[in-house]
Amino acid sequence: MPELPEVEVTRIGLADRLRGARVRAVHVGASLRWPLGVAVRSLHDMEIGDLVRRGKYIWMPLAAGRRSGGLLWHLGMSGSLRLHEHAPPPRGRHDHFELVSSAGTLRLTDPRRFGAVLWSDALDADPARKLLAGLGAEPFDPRFTARALHAGCKQRRASIKAVLLAGDIVVGAGNIYACEALYRAGIDPRTRCQRLSLARCERLLDALREVLSRALAQGGSTLRDFRDVHGGAGGFQASACVYGREGQPCVHCGTPVRRVLQAQRSTFFCPRCQTR
DNA sequence: CGGGACGCCTGTGAGC
DNA sequence: TGCTCACAGGCGTCCC
C-alpha cells in the first residue's frame, strides 16, 4: 500500500526526469475517482516544475507564461505511477490517467481506484489546500520533536495506532509502518495515546523514522500492487516483523504474533514485546 | 467536536 | 472445479 516511503520512492524516481519537461497531451480515463478539475487542453505546453511530497500526496507544479498551477496526485491504496521514457505499451484497463510529456509518458495505474489526480491553481488554493489542511507534521522534519508528538498525543483519546493512521499529528504511516513502528518502539497499539510518556514518544518517533527510512532505502513495500516508476517491486515487505505475520513467532521472543481489529483495520503486534 | 463506522473499489484466495 | 464471500485499506463523509 502506498504509504510515505512508496510515495517518496515514486517522487524521487520522477523528479529529475520530469523537471523542465513539457506537457504534450493528457488522457483522462472514464473512471478517475474525482474529475480532474481542469480542461485537458489547457495543460498542453505547460512546463513541469519540481515535484514535492506532502504526506502521501505528490504536488506537480505546472507553468506556462503567466498561467500556473499544478496537479496533486494521490496513489490511494493500489495506485502506482510509471514513466515510460520510450514508446509506452497499450493502455490497460486500470490505467486511469496519462500525461504525455517531452520526457516520456506518465501513467497512473490503480486497480482499486482510490487514487486521485486533481488540478489546483496553487498548493495553497482549493482543492489542494483543503486536502492538505488537516495533515500533521512530516516525520523527518527536524522541527517535529518527540516533545511535539507527546503534546499532540496528550490532546487525543484514541489509541496510538488510530492516531498514527489518522495522520493529523504526524503523517506518513499507513497500516504497515504504523504496526512496524509500534513494534520497534515496544508499544501496544491499543494504548490510549494520552497515556504515552515522553520517553515512549521519543522511542516511537525514533522507531517511526527508522522504519520509514529503511523502507525508503529498500524501495518501499510491494504487497501486491505497488511498483516504482520503472515497474520494479519494493523490498521492505520481507523485513516486516509483525505486519501480515499473525500466528508466526515474534522475531525477538518467539511469542505468536497477534492480530486484532482496530477501527475495522487489522493491527499486528507481539503481545509480549509490546506493552501498554 | 472527537472518534468510530461506513462507503468507495476490485483482485485475491479461503472455504464450501 | 467453480462459486461465493470476506478481506485488503487511504481517506472523505456521516453520525453518535
Side-chain angles (χ1 to χ4, degrees):
Chain A
M1 317 303 135
E3 302 177 34
L4 185 147
E6 291 76 22
V7 177
E8 184 64 6
V9 161
T10 301
R11 186 195 69 80
I12 290 169
L14 295 177
D16 285 348
R17 293 179 172 84
L18 293 182
R19 188 181 303 112
R22 290 205 175 263
V23 178
R24 294 210 170 121
V26 168
H27 302 287
V28 180
S31 48
L32 257 193
R33 183 178 185 184
W34 295 311
L36 184 61
V38 72
V40 158
R41 289 283 317 177
S42 70
L43 301 178
H44 290 191
D45 289 327
M46 291 188 99
E47 185 178 319
I48 301 174
D50 232 332
L51 269 55
V52 295
R53 182 190 54 74
R54 177 72 178 100
K56 298 170 188 172
Y57 290 91
I58 291 174
W59 171 248
M60 174 188 281
L62 293 169
R66 263 172 283 134
R67 288 186 303 129
S68 69
L71 293 175
L72 188 69
W73 304 74
H74 196 290
L75 300 178
M77 69 168 284
S78 64
S80 58
L81 281 171
R82 177 87 184 261
L83 181 66
H84 298 279
E85 293 179 276
H86 305 292
R91 283 199 285 271
R93 81 187 212 90
H94 298 309
D95 297 335
H96 305 304
F97 187 86
E98 186 175 273
L99 186 152
V100 184
S101 80
S102 54
T105 298
L106 181 64
R107 239 177 225 177
L108 173 68
T109 303
D110 184 12
R112 266 157 280 186
R113 294 173 52 200
F114 289 179
V117 192
L118 289 170
W119 169 265
S120 198
D121 289 335
L123 201 44
D124 57 4
D126 285 337
R129 190 197 57 83
K130 211 169 227 168
L131 289 166
L132 304 182
L135 297 187
E138 284 293 325
F140 292 108
D141 184 341
R143 292 167 297 178
F144 181 66
T145 60
R147 203 166 283 280
L149 174 60
H150 186 241
C153 284
K154 278 274 175 261
Q155 312 293 317
R156 302 286 296 276
R157 273 194 232 190
S159 68
I160 183 59
K161 162 80 178 326
V163 165
L164 286 177
L165 284 189
D168 44 11
I169 296 178
V170 57
V171 297
N175 213 21
I176 302 173
Y177 302 121
C179 290
E180 293 300 314
L182 287 164
Y183 172 77
R184 278 160 213 254
I187 297 169
D188 186 314
R190 301 164 297 181
T191 309
R192 301 258 150 215
C193 73
Q194 271 180 330
R195 299 189 54 234
L196 287 176
S197 65
L198 176 59
R200 298 194 99 193
C201 287
E202 280 167 2
R203 256 185 292 157
L204 179 55
L205 183 54
D206 285 348
L208 180 63
R209 286 174 169 159
E210 175 73 17
V211 163
L212 294 176
S213 51
R214 277 196 195 200
L216 184 57
Q218 293 183 56
S221 296
T222 297
L223 296 184
R224 184 169 296 152
D225 301 296
F226 176 72
R227 298 286 148 171
D228 65 25
V229 301
H230 310 296
F236 182 82
Q237 62 282 0
S239 320
C241 294
V242 286
Y243 184 84
R245 298 191 64 245
E246 183 183 14
Q248 295 176 48
C250 166
V251 294
H252 179 67
C253 74
T255 304
V257 169
R258 276 195 63 194
R259 181 175 76 97
V260 293
L261 282 184
Q262 287 184 280
Q264 319 296 92
R265 299 286 182 265
S266 284
T267 297
F268 300 88
F269 68 105
C270 170
R272 183 156 170 205
C273 295
Q274 295 175 256
T275 59
R276 299 218 203 200

